[in-house]
Amino acid sequence: MDRKMGVVTGAGGDIGLAVCEHLGKAGAAVLCVDREQALADKAAAAVTKHGGVAETMVADVTNEEQVYAYADRTRELWGEARFFFNNAGIEGHEGPLSTYPLDAWEQVMAVNVRGVFLGLKAMFPLLRHSQIARIVNTASVAGLIATPQIAAYGASKHAVIGLTKTAAVEYAPHDISVNALCPGPVDSSMMRRIEEGVAPGGATQARQGYETRIPAHRYASLAEVGSLATYMLLESPIYMTGQAIPLDGGMSIS
Ligand SMILES: NC(=O)c1ccc[n+]([C@@H]2O[C@H](COP(=O)([O-])OP(=O)(O)OC[C@H]3O[C@@H](n4cnc5c(N)ncnc54)[C@H](O)[C@@H]3O)[C@@H](O)[C@H]2O)c1
């Protein structure tokens, strides 16, 4: 069997789990990385339950040593990687830009930008070792349009799209594609936290407000994100690179 091997960060979160499930169905071998062992274990269970092979690793993506440690572990396990889902991210603080706390800004930038940057660096030799390989960075519709109340998040996701373009150009000669997945709001715990954060006690109205801005009038499902991300990680044409792919019910173009 031609088993594809690769790494998923933020594997134990809602999107990570959905993608691990789909990767398992595709028979992939996945190094599930998260900041806590229990989260990495949950992701590994999602992979193996559906027929894949899983390994786990605890790493904080903001820590350079720990990022290189998950890349080293990949080398020990398989000698190469065919895919890399550079996905760990946090939403940070909700509130107006004029009072947005600096420490919250720095925390969001550390996980969402520094973490993605370090992953792109550390995983490159492993991906280059494969004949062809695919990287998907999780950006967001927040990387394409304005994000009132979550300034750091929006800025960080614009940065992820910028990094994606640079990495795509530098890695294309090595037959590595690099694309950004840009989901709109997903039916997930992160959105529950954002809704409550922007409208304490009024999460239902906040959700309705977001849904009104989406032409499809609903959030994306985790299954939709899992299936598109897995296609981008395992099957998309290598010639498709440097793209920010929205999965947003038309939100970014309306
Ligand atoms: N949920 C949404 O609506 C939505 C929409 C667009 C984009 N995204 C993006 O998708 C990605 C996954 O989000 P999610 O919805 O699964 O969120 P989530 O909070 O459910 O999962 C995030 C995962 O990342 C891990 N993580 C956070 N900081 C980390 C660190 N420093 N080191 C290692 N792991 C860390 C968490 O432990 C968690 O398992 C994020 O980049 C997010 O910004 C989410």
Side-chain angles (χ1 to χ4, degrees):
M1 180 179 183
D2 182 25
R3 202 183 279 291
K4 292 183 176 168
M5 306 82 79
V7 175
V8 173
T9 69
D14 287 354
I15 289 177
L17 286 173
V19 174
C20 283
E21 192 179 314
H22 280 76
L23 287 169
K25 284 182 191 155
V30 186
L31 177 59
C32 301
V33 178
D34 212 307
R35 58 185 165 182
E36 286 170 28
Q37 186 64 48
L39 291 167
D41 287 345
K42 217 169 144 187
V47 175
T48 52
K49 185 177 168 200
H50 294 279
V53 169
E55 298 282 340
T56 63
M57 175 104 194
V58 173
D60 175 346
V61 299
T62 68
N63 181 306
E64 187 177 24
E65 238 175 72
Q66 293 179 26
V67 171
Y68 277 87
Y70 75 64
D72 287 345
R73 180 84 182 113
T74 309
R75 186 176 292 105
E76 282 165 21
L77 285 167
W78 306 304
E80 63 174 39
R82 300 258 196 106
F83 64 85
F84 176 39
F85 190 37
N86 204 1
N87 167 68
I90 58 171
E91 70 278 14
H93 172 83
E94 294 88 7
L97 172 57
S98 54
T99 54
Y100 199 96
L102 182 58
D103 60 343
W105 166 273
E106 280 169 353
Q107 203 192 357
V108 171
M109 288 296 161
V111 179
N112 296 8
V113 185
R114 179 184 162 114
V116 166
F117 162 72
L118 289 172
L120 285 168
K121 279 180 72 180
M123 286 299 293
F124 173 68
L126 281 306
L127 295 153
R128 189 177 53 177
H129 214 73
S130 287
Q131 235 172 14
I132 57 168
R134 299 175 180 84
I135 300 174
V136 176
N137 297 320
T138 309
S140 167
V141 73
L144 299 167
I145 61 175
T147 55
Q149 308 291 313
I150 45 171
Y153 186 76
S156 73
K157 295 302 186 180
H158 277 74
V160 170
I161 293 175
L163 273 169
T164 299
K165 291 177 184 172
T166 297
V169 170
E170 293 192 9
Y171 295 1
H174 305 283
D175 289 321
I176 302 170
S177 68
V178 190
N179 292 293
L181 175 62
C182 301
V186 181
D187 202 357
S188 63
S189 51
M190 181 179 281
M191 279 313 298
R192 296 296 90 74
R193 296 191 297 267
I194 292 176
E195 289 153 4
E196 190 54 40
V198 297
T204 308
Q205 289 94 312
R207 178 173 182 146
Q208 284 163 359
Y210 285 126
E211 285 177 337
T212 307
R213 290 178 57 198
I214 303 169
H217 295 311
R218 66 168 178 87
Y219 286 2
S221 69
L222 283 164
E224 286 170 322
V225 181
S227 116
L228 177 59
T230 302
Y231 169 76
M232 291 170 70
L233 287 165
L234 300 184
E235 290 183 61
S236 61
I238 287 294
Y239 207 61
M240 182 184 94
T241 196
Q243 301 306 304
I245 308 291
L247 179 70
D248 66 353
M251 189 177 186
S252 58
I253 48 142
S254 63

